[in-house]
Amino acid sequence: MPTRREVIKVSMIAAAAGVVESFALPLSVRAQPGQAPAATGPFTLPALAYAVDALEPHIDAQTMTIHHDRHHAAYVTNLNGAVAGKADLAGKSIEQLLSNLDALPSDIRTVVRNNGGGHLNHTMFWTSMKKGGGGAPTTELGAAIDGAFTSFGAFKDAMTRSAMGVFGSGWAWLVLDAGKLAVVALPNQDSPVMQGKVPLLGLDVWEHAYYLKYQNRRRDYVDAWFNCIDWDAIAARYRSAARA
Ligand code: MN3
């Protein structure tokens, strides 16, 4: 095993040489909560705001670790690779890139769609959950959900149906669509921003999000995930989107 100092030295040499590929870091220097890995481009993997086991037993620590440190990290690396050397794109936010995919050079459009979508979706996903989450939203968002779906239970059913209806890989979303709350399902890593909608809450139903613990029992994962939602965070997104 290389020492931490040797690994950092190799990383610095690789960065200096313009090498953008990431490589597996030894456990000793793996991202800890509150500590993001070094950036190799304009986009960075955000650190989790909680420990990888914080969402146990609903989402297990191993799934969280692999999902964040490998899957999300790979989206960031691939996205940075796509915009490398393109100064006009590197200065744009991920939302700006995704909301106008047609403006991108055709050779990177699909890479940005998949990996940029993956980066934005997962960044929102981690910050949509917290230890001891769940329950139901109150105040403005709770009232808006009651208004749009008739009740929180009906919203939950709609979100669950949407998540169960994704064939293959994708997400179920609570969005603001022209100012109205709606539930939509999108394939792969497509983001609601690609359709001009505002994503408020996304449920990742790629198998990598649940297979280690739940195998083929997607419904059990969906039910458990509702116990992790940080409704204060979703309500804050709703307030800022509704006022925009
Ligand atoms: Mn995922």
Side-chain angles (χ1 to χ4, degrees):
M1 284 286 285
T3 65
R4 183 187 171 105
R5 181 168 299 193
E6 284 164 353
V7 168
I8 291 170
K9 198 169 155 191
V10 168
S11 308
M12 289 170 69
I13 291 166
V19 177
V20 294
E21 292 87 357
S22 68
F23 48 88
L25 294 170
L27 282 172
S28 59
V29 290
R30 277 256 300 285
Q32 302 296 318
Q35 175 195 350
T40 54
F43 299 101
T44 54
L45 178 67
L48 292 173
Y50 39 77
V52 292
D53 64 356
L55 307 179
E56 295 262 12
H58 310 298
I59 301 179
D60 60 289
Q62 188 183 19
T63 295
M64 285 297 293
T65 301
I66 294 172
H67 200 174
H68 176 270
D69 296 6
R70 300 194 203 166
H71 289 277
H72 189 170
Y75 298 130
V76 173
T77 300
N78 294 336
L79 176 62
N80 281 328
V83 300
K86 297 179 168 65
D88 53 325
L89 300 182
K92 290 190 188 298
S93 72
I94 188 57
E95 289 89 346
Q96 286 173 322
L97 291 177
L98 292 172
S99 59
N100 199 3
L101 284 173
D102 288 344
L104 297 178
S106 58
D107 60 319
I108 63 163
R109 195 173 298 147
T110 301
V111 179
V112 171
R113 178 180 191 153
N114 290 336
N115 293 279
H119 176 42
L120 178 60
N121 292 345
H122 286 84
T123 299
M124 295 193 71
F125 189 58
W126 311 130
T127 53
S128 297
M129 301 184 289
K130 67 176 181 183
K131 185 179 183 70
T138 55
T139 65
E140 290 163 78
L141 178 59
I145 285 178
D146 288 348
F149 300 95
T150 71
S151 68
F152 180 74
F155 155 73
K156 205 170 162 181
D157 288 346
M159 194 79 177
T160 300
R161 267 198 312 278
S162 185
M164 294 306 293
V166 172
F167 184 77
S169 298
W171 293 67
W173 290 97
L174 173 66
V175 300
L176 261 185
D177 182 5
K180 290 187 158 183
L181 288 176
V183 165
V184 296
L186 291 174
N188 305 311
Q189 295 295 356
D190 281 4
S191 162
V193 303
M194 293 174 193
Q195 304 177 341
K197 296 168 185 161
V198 181
L200 298 176
L201 173 65
L203 169 52
D204 186 347
V205 291
W206 283 56
E207 284 186 346
H208 69 223
Y210 63 89
Y211 206 85
L212 288 175
K213 180 178 172 77
Y214 295 98
Q215 295 84 48
N216 62 325
R217 292 174 285 112
R218 184 188 289 185
R219 177 62 196 256
D220 291 351
Y221 157 70
V222 170
D223 289 345
W225 171 79
F226 279 100
N227 297 312
C228 304
I229 299 173
D230 179 354
W231 282 112
D232 292 336
I234 311 309
R237 274 177 207 157
Y238 174 72
R239 274 196 304 276
S240 95
R243 281 170 194 161

